[in-house]
Amino acid sequence: MSRAEKLTDQILERIKGKDVKVKREDILRRMKLLIEEFKVPESEAVRTIMNYLVREYGIPREELFDRDSPLVKIADISKVNQWVSLRAKVVQLWDSNSPNVSQVGLIGDETGIVKFVVWAKASQPEVEEGKSYIFRNVVTDSFQGRMQINVTRTSRIEEIDEDIQLPPREIEVVGSMVAIQQNSGLVKRCNECGRVLNKGVCHQHGKVEGYDDLRIKAVIDDGENVYEIILNEENIKELTGIGLDEALKIAHETLDRNAVLAELKNMLLGRYFRVKGLRGGRYLLVKEISVHKPKADDFNEILEALA
Amino acid sequence: MMRRREVAKRVFAYELLRSTHQIESEGLRYVLTPTGERVNRIFSVAVLLDKEEIGADTNNWRLRLADPTGTFYATVGKFQPEALEAINEMNVPELVAIVGKPRVFEGVSRKLISIRPENIVAVDLSVRDYWVLETARRTLERIEAMEKREGEDVELAWTVYDPDLNEYREMVKKALLTVKEDVEIMEKLEESPHEDEPEEEFDFEEFEFEEEEFDLTDLLED
Ligand SMILES: [Zn+2]
């Protein structure tokens, strides 16, 4: 295949599937003329033909020129300011308190997990936890020494019908619950996006009525590291016996929604838990959590070592 | 920029009481312990023996706490609202888990250490038992690092305290033995909940009753 033919086919590949009939011979003839006869540099030849397509066939300019960034794996992201495309699953979203941020959380593929930020200015459709997408033309960045992905105005997010597998980065820690953070307990979530409301306000959807939910953002500390975890209603009920219904009852009886948090703190703070979860970005994603108790053998082991 | 949360270190009261050297680093205050631990935050499980209001109606409390190796003090005031609320409602003695920041003060004749609790909450014995276990482990790791003279803080601890490491080993051993028996009993109870629980006999000798009053036959027939 000649160079002219190759370039012609590459151009045709770009407009494949678009509702235009372009004759290959027409393009090839022009390409040959430009490259073989007039010895125009390849890039100039391609540009000239693309311009011709825009003019003669009415193909939108950006569809031809907006070349998608290369598809890469998360593990291969190591430099900032690289434009890339990723096939990734939304691992977790967390609440952002910045009005400049539309969504923030973690996305992952088979090779790794990375934080991603969708800037409010990007006006992108919202993504959902657990769903997989192609994130086209996103730019790499670094924040506090860690890589992250920024979704900007020129990015494109397309949902894909595929469940992308995440890397096995499961860890297990035994530690004490040393703190329960704000916005825990009986919370209200936005009816539209499910994010936790701050004084009845969703930063995306403004003042909304919201619905009740139970959750805890806590810090597990094993004396060496701290892990931030989020417990959902199911986790909380399993650990304390207090589910959403009981929580609403407590709030109703005490006329105080904060009473639920106080009760949960009393039952959970200072205790030891064994937590199994995925380590990624800011949070340890809880898969299992249970109360941890010591065994007599553990004592004997150290005592023998001491003897 | 968001600062990473400081880890809560595990230190026995015995060692804590002997910690007098403070380090300022990047705007944070740390206490250096004799086995070379740099502590900005501490997690401890101890018995709250006493709470005493410093001055009438000041809502500033001095707490006396004890773990199996010694007694230490903590102070709670309005800047620790969560701990303050808990303390107001707590009766002594009570086993508590406490997260807080250690501070060294210049006393009249010597330096004193006290904890400012961020939170304090009543817990059960198994929490204490596990805390002793992990604090023992951590302390032994530090003793080992001291022996190998690993790291800056270790060097500093040698210079400041010149500790007798055997003394600390003995302390760890004592703490473990105190708690071990307790754990063994708990394990046995869990295996066979009723085996070791002797039925308490009621002492009828001291009990006078009129037969008629206690005849419940009618009720049973109903
Ligand atoms: Zn919303």
Side-chain angles (χ1 to χ4, degrees):
Chain A
M1 198 189 277
S2 75
R3 191 66 196 146
E5 279 177 312
K6 216 166 201 167
L7 290 171
T8 299
D9 286 345
Q10 276 179 23
I11 290 174
L12 289 172
E13 188 64 30
R14 284 179 165 245
I15 53 173
K16 207 168 80 181
K18 302 208 166 66
D19 202 16
V20 279
K21 297 259 175 327
V22 177
K23 284 205 183 79
R24 185 172 187 270
E25 311 91 86
D26 179 21
I27 306 297
L28 182 58
R29 189 172 51 79
R30 281 163 193 278
M31 189 64 85
K32 277 185 170 161
L33 194 66
L34 289 165
I35 293 180
E36 292 166 9
E37 300 223 355
F38 299 152
K39 310 290 181 199
V40 172
E42 282 186 7
S43 61
E44 278 309 312
V46 170
R47 190 201 303 266
T48 307
I49 287 176
M50 302 261 263
N51 279 330
Y52 167 77
L53 286 170
V54 170
R55 221 168 40 238
E56 293 297 313
Y57 292 86
I59 299 168
R61 177 173 289 270
E62 54 270 26
E63 285 192 24
L64 284 175
F65 288 92
D66 247 22
R67 208 191 146 80
D68 279 337
S69 320
L71 207 55
V72 302
K73 294 290 178 204
I74 287 173
D76 297 330
I77 298 170
S78 58
K79 287 193 204 134
V80 301
N81 277 327
Q82 305 279 303
W83 288 87
V84 296
S85 299
L86 301 167
R87 294 169 73 86
K89 181 189 203 160
V90 178
V91 180
Q92 189 178 32
L93 295 169
W94 61 72
D95 309 317
S96 153
N97 32 33
S98 162
N100 299 329
V101 172
S102 148
Q103 285 189 297
V104 57
L106 301 170
I107 55 173
D109 64 15
E110 317 79 57
T111 69
I113 289 177
V114 70
K115 180 179 164 190
F116 81 111
V117 176
V118 185
W119 298 97
K121 270 192 192 159
S123 38
Q124 295 286 344
E126 298 214 324
V127 295
E128 283 176 47
E129 273 179 22
K131 285 193 177 169
S132 299
Y133 301 84
I134 295 186
F135 294 85
R136 288 195 201 279
N137 308 322
V138 293
V139 62
T140 61
D141 193 4
S142 147
F143 183 68
Q144 292 177 3
R146 283 198 180 153
M147 294 308 297
Q148 78 171 40
I149 294 300
N150 291 331
V151 179
T152 71
R153 220 177 310 188
T154 51
S155 308
R156 260 187 0 262
I157 304 176
E158 295 159 22
E159 190 177 339
I160 50 174
D161 190 20
E162 182 189 345
D163 186 25
I164 289 175
Q165 293 304 303
L166 297 173
R169 302 212 305 157
E170 198 179 274
I171 57 163
E172 199 174 298
V173 278
V174 172
S176 162
M177 196 180 284
V178 291
I180 291 180
Q181 297 169 335
Q182 288 189 326
N183 290 324
S184 292
L186 196 52
V187 294
K188 285 236 187 246
R189 288 187 185 277
C190 175
N191 311 65
E192 308 232 2
C193 64
R195 269 176 273 183
V196 171
L197 303 181
N198 187 1
K199 291 179 180 131
V201 176
C202 168
H203 80 262
Q204 181 86 6
H205 299 102
K207 200 160 178 65
V208 289
E209 202 189 326
Y211 62 94
D212 291 305
D213 194 16
L214 198 59
R215 72 105 176 252
I216 286 177
K217 288 164 91 172
V219 180
I220 297 286
D221 181 323
D222 67 0
E224 200 163 4
N225 278 305
V226 289
Y227 305 87
E228 287 181 279
I229 63 169
I230 296 183
L231 302 178
N232 60 22
E233 193 217 338
E234 208 180 311
N235 300 139
I236 297 168
K237 184 158 188 168
E238 208 179 286
L239 290 177
T240 65
I242 297 176
L244 185 58
D245 291 345
E246 292 82 358
L248 287 167
K249 214 170 121 192
I250 294 170
H252 185 76
E253 279 167 5
T254 56
L255 301 173
D256 181 9
R257 288 172 75 87
N258 291 325
V260 176
L261 182 57
E263 179 87 19
L264 292 173
K265 279 184 174 172
N266 264 330
M267 295 172 90
L268 297 172
L269 271 180
R271 274 69 163 185
Y272 284 99
F273 296 96
R274 177 179 295 275
V275 185
K276 242 190 228 179
L278 277 178
R279 182 77 153 129
R282 182 169 164 193
Y283 291 96
L284 179 67
L285 315 174
V286 176
K287 291 176 82 183
E288 277 172 43
I289 180 165
S290 58
V291 174
H292 183 72
K293 287 184 178 167
K295 291 190 178 65
D297 283 351
D298 299 334
F299 287 81
N300 293 330
E301 206 175 286
I302 312 187
L303 283 165
E304 273 163 33
L306 258 173
Chain B
M1 193 172 127
M2 207 169 65
R3 198 196 275 279
R4 186 150 173 80
R5 185 188 163 93
E6 285 284 324
V7 171
K9 301 295 171 63
R10 275 55 159 175
V11 180
F12 283 120
Y14 185 91
E15 183 173 355
L16 189 67
L17 291 169
R18 284 155 183 78
S19 307
T20 52
H21 186 79
Q22 289 200 115
I23 304 168
E24 302 251 4
S25 168
E26 290 172 27
L28 281 182
R29 229 185 306 177
Y30 298 87
V31 169
L32 182 74
T33 76
T35 61
E37 183 70 283
R38 185 189 277 250
V39 185
N40 168 266
R41 176 178 277 127
I42 196 168
F43 176 67
S44 176
V45 179
V47 181
L48 174 63
L49 295 171
D50 209 358
K51 60 173 199 184
E52 180 195 356
E53 202 167 3
I54 311 165
D57 295 322
T58 55
N59 225 356
N60 278 304
W61 297 86
R62 189 158 75 137
L63 315 178
R64 195 159 57 91
L65 298 124
D67 75 13
T69 70
T71 305
F72 61 101
Y73 288 92
T75 49
V76 181
K78 64 176 174 203
F79 297 112
Q80 299 82 41
E82 272 194 42
L84 188 60
E85 203 186 318
I87 279 301
N88 273 313
E89 285 169 18
M90 211 172 268
N91 292 314
V92 293
E94 178 80 89
L95 185 68
V96 297
I98 176 172
V99 180
K101 307 250 180 174
R103 290 285 176 268
V104 176
F105 299 95
E106 288 283 349
V108 183
S109 58
R110 60 188 179 102
K111 287 180 176 173
L112 303 166
I113 194 158
S114 167
I115 305 291
R116 281 205 173 273
E118 294 166 318
N119 63 57
I120 181 163
V121 62
V123 292
D124 64 26
L125 282 173
S126 70
V127 177
R128 197 268 324 261
D129 296 346
Y130 190 76
W131 178 80
V132 168
L133 184 68
E134 75 162 348
T135 306
R137 273 188 194 138
R138 297 278 175 215
T139 308
L140 290 178
E141 278 168 20
R142 295 198 296 268
I143 290 172
E144 227 169 86
M146 286 291 281
E147 280 171 334
K148 291 183 192 156
R149 293 193 169 254
E150 281 171 354
E152 231 175 276
D153 291 338
V154 161
E155 281 306 325
L156 189 57
W158 274 119
T159 312
V160 175
Y161 300 106
D162 193 21
D164 174 0
L165 294 178
N166 276 329
E167 187 184 311
Y168 286 91
R169 247 193 225 98
E170 276 307 307
M171 166 203 69
V172 169
K173 196 170 161 184
K174 191 186 137 206
L176 285 170
L177 288 171
T178 313
V179 164
K180 190 183 112 151
E181 196 181 353
D182 192 64
V183 175
E184 283 167 342
I185 293 169
M186 293 297 283
E187 259 177 22
K188 261 189 208 142
L189 284 178
E190 267 170 32
E191 277 165 20
S192 48
H194 300 294
E195 200 177 289
D196 295 313
E197 241 177 323
E199 290 274 330
E200 205 174 304
E201 296 218 3
F202 194 82
D203 188 5
F204 284 96
E205 305 287 53
E206 287 180 6
F207 204 75
E208 284 178 45
F209 62 87
E210 289 152 293
E211 233 167 350
E212 270 177 45
E213 263 188 62
F214 283 83
D215 189 354
L216 302 177
T217 339
D218 289 352
L219 274 177
L220 289 170
E221 274 172 9
D222 202 337

